Amino acid sequence: MIKLYQLEGCWYCQMVREKLAELGINYEKIEAPAEREMRKEVFKVSGQYLVPVLHDENTILSDEDEIIEYLERVYGKGGQG
């Protein structure tokens, strides 16, 4: 299952959530702490403290534009999803 590490009030995270909803993708939403230095799980997964981070099997992405492009390519029309 796809995991999205995110913050509820984060505009970039919202963009990713909207794309996931648009494509009808089920995912686990993991709320990251507001304080960057407390995001130990985010760091463990991605090697950095920023959100959003998408973890889909062997794919880990930490930029909202890359995440959205990946979701469209893999799960959009013609994708394998």
Side-chain angles (χ1 to χ4, degrees), residues 24-62:
I25 299 170
N26 292 323
Y27 66 99
E28 179 182 356
K29 183 167 58 171
I30 300 168
E31 191 70 15
E35 297 165 359
R36 286 185 186 173
E37 30 320 310
M38 300 298 293
R39 298 177 188 167
K40 293 179 183 359
E41 188 174 356
V42 172
F43 186 82
K44 183 178 177 183
V45 169
S46 66
Q48 51 84 47
Y49 293 99
L50 302 175
V51 289
V53 170
L54 184 97
H55 183 192
D56 184 14
E57 294 184 23
N58 295 326
T59 302
I60 298 170
L61 300 167
S62 58

Side-chain angles (χ1 to χ4, degrees), residues 56-73:
D56 184 14
E57 294 184 23
N58 295 326
T59 302
I60 298 170
L61 300 167
S62 58
D63 175 85
E64 63 280 352
D65 292 328
E66 290 177 4
I67 293 170
I68 290 169
E69 187 276 327
Y70 169 82
L71 292 171
E72 293 245 352
R73 180 171 35 86

